[in-house]
Amino acid sequence: MLPIADRWFEIKHISDDITLLYEPHVVPLMRCNIWHVRGRDRDLMIDTGMGIASLHDAARHLLDKEVTAVATHTHDDHIGGHHEFDHILVHELEAGNLEAPAGRGTLLASVIGADAVRKYALVGYPFDGDLITALPHADYDMASYYVHPAKATEIVVEGDIVDLGDRQFEVLHLPGHSPGSIGLWEAATGTLFSGDAIYDGPLLDEIGGADIPTYIRTMKRLRDLPVRVVHAGHDPSFGRNRLIQLIDAYLKKRA
Ligand SMILES: [Zn+2]
Ligand SMILES: [Zn+2]
């Protein structure tokens, strides 16, 4: 029997305008970073976690104006809460998967299967048991979990601008981890929200939808970006030196 969590989301204020939310009771493989970015006219919620508990409720104190829920890509751990938001942004190549997810998703290791569990352990994501280590409330039924569909209201491609009034993010199409992976790049501050294109942990380039030659091109592109800070889809944020290290390690392994 799993313990009951006091609260489902942890919340960390990174700066005046950026807040990190995450789900500590989800195993690292599926524990994504959820970034709330405050703008003058509109805020962003970049990714939304697993959808096990309400992100909208947990973040209510942050949601004082229009907010766009961005999908950096449509893996289960990044889109679980999108259905709770009115305005939803995704790359054109993954809008279909957001609206009609390819699988229903699961929290159960028995459904994931021993082979897949072993593969994840080999690439650096061991987990022992199911995908959560606590329940959101006492009568939560893990088997009832599914990924809620969400219909995009804004479909983007490379070069589109996401305008918050006082800050502008450029959409970078960063495929490789998934076909429609995007980053949001704020040139004025050198800030990149990278999704799963790059993070400071084991990268996944052999899962369904991933493509190594494409990933290599994305890495080379990111290497040339004048980044000051990367807020990624998983793991801690990092600066340009670490970005170059991560890219070079990837290129050494794969290129
Ligand atoms: Zn992913
Ligand atoms: Zn992810």
Side-chain angles (χ1 to χ4, degrees), residues 35 190-194 198 227-232 236-239 243:
W35 298 101
T191 302
L192 175 67
F193 290 93
S194 64
I198 193 155
V227 160
R228 193 182 57 81
V229 62
V230 180
H231 298 306
S237 300
F238 51 92
L243 175 69

Side-chain angles (χ1 to χ4, degrees), residues 7 20 22 38 76 78 80 82 86 90 106 112 121 132 157 160 180 183 200 202 222-223 226 252:
R7 56 181 179 276
L20 168 65
Y22 64 99
R38 190 179 296 284
D76 295 356
H78 294 258
H82 275 69
D86 295 330
V90 67
T106 186
I112 295 168
I132 56 177
V157 296
D160 284 349
D200 196 350
L222 289 175
R223 208 179 186 289
K252 191 168 173 214

Side-chain angles (χ1 to χ4, degrees), residues 35-244:
W35 298 101
H36 179 264
V37 182
R38 190 179 296 284
R40 188 191 67 206
D41 304 335
R42 170 173 291 280
D43 295 345
L44 300 177
M45 190 69 85
I46 301 174
D47 294 330
T48 58
M50 289 290 285
I52 291 167
S54 172
L55 173 65
H56 200 278
D57 285 353
R60 197 166 286 285
H61 64 292
L62 297 168
L63 303 177
D64 57 0
K65 67 172 82 65
E66 292 283 300
V67 58
T68 296
V70 173
T72 61
H73 63 303
T74 58
H75 287 157
D76 295 356
D77 50 330
H78 294 258
I79 60 163
H82 275 69
H83 68 101
E84 298 188 284
F85 294 84
D86 295 330
H87 196 246
I88 299 172
L89 181 153
V90 67
H91 188 269
E92 63 175 359
L93 292 179
E94 295 193 28
N97 194 53
L98 188 63
E99 192 170 345
R104 85 187 289 276
T106 186
L107 301 177
L108 302 172
S110 59
V111 175
I112 295 168
D115 265 7
V117 170
R118 230 179 343 263
K119 276 186 197 151
Y120 285 127
L122 280 175
V123 297
Y125 289 106
F127 55 96
D128 186 23
D130 299 315
L131 294 184
I132 56 177
T133 55
L135 301 177
H137 51 83
D139 52 0
Y140 184 74
D141 174 14
M142 263 202 272
S144 72
Y145 174 83
Y146 70 100
V147 181
H148 287 74
K151 187 160 171 48
T153 56
E154 186 174 354
I155 291 178
V156 295
V157 296
E158 167 70 28
D160 284 349
I161 301 296
V162 179
D163 189 354
L164 306 188
D166 56 342
R167 49 198 309 182
Q168 286 77 34
F169 290 90
E170 182 184 348
V171 173
L172 308 183
H173 183 209
L174 304 174
H177 174 78
S178 77
S181 277
I182 57 169
L184 291 184
W185 167 239
E186 188 180 43
T189 59
T191 302
L192 175 67
F193 290 93
S194 64
D196 284 0
I198 193 155
Y199 49 81
D200 196 350
L203 300 174
L204 297 175
D205 61 2
E206 293 181 301
I207 53 177
D211 183 72
I212 291 172
T214 306
Y215 214 145
I216 288 170
R217 279 196 296 278
T218 284
M219 287 298 194
K220 288 180 174 167
R221 179 180 185 193
L222 289 175
R223 208 179 186 289
D224 291 334
L225 209 61
V227 160
R228 193 182 57 81
V229 62
V230 180
H231 298 306
H234 297 263
D235 300 308
S237 300
F238 51 92
R240 180 161 166 82
N241 289 344
R242 184 65 183 148
L243 175 69
I244 300 281

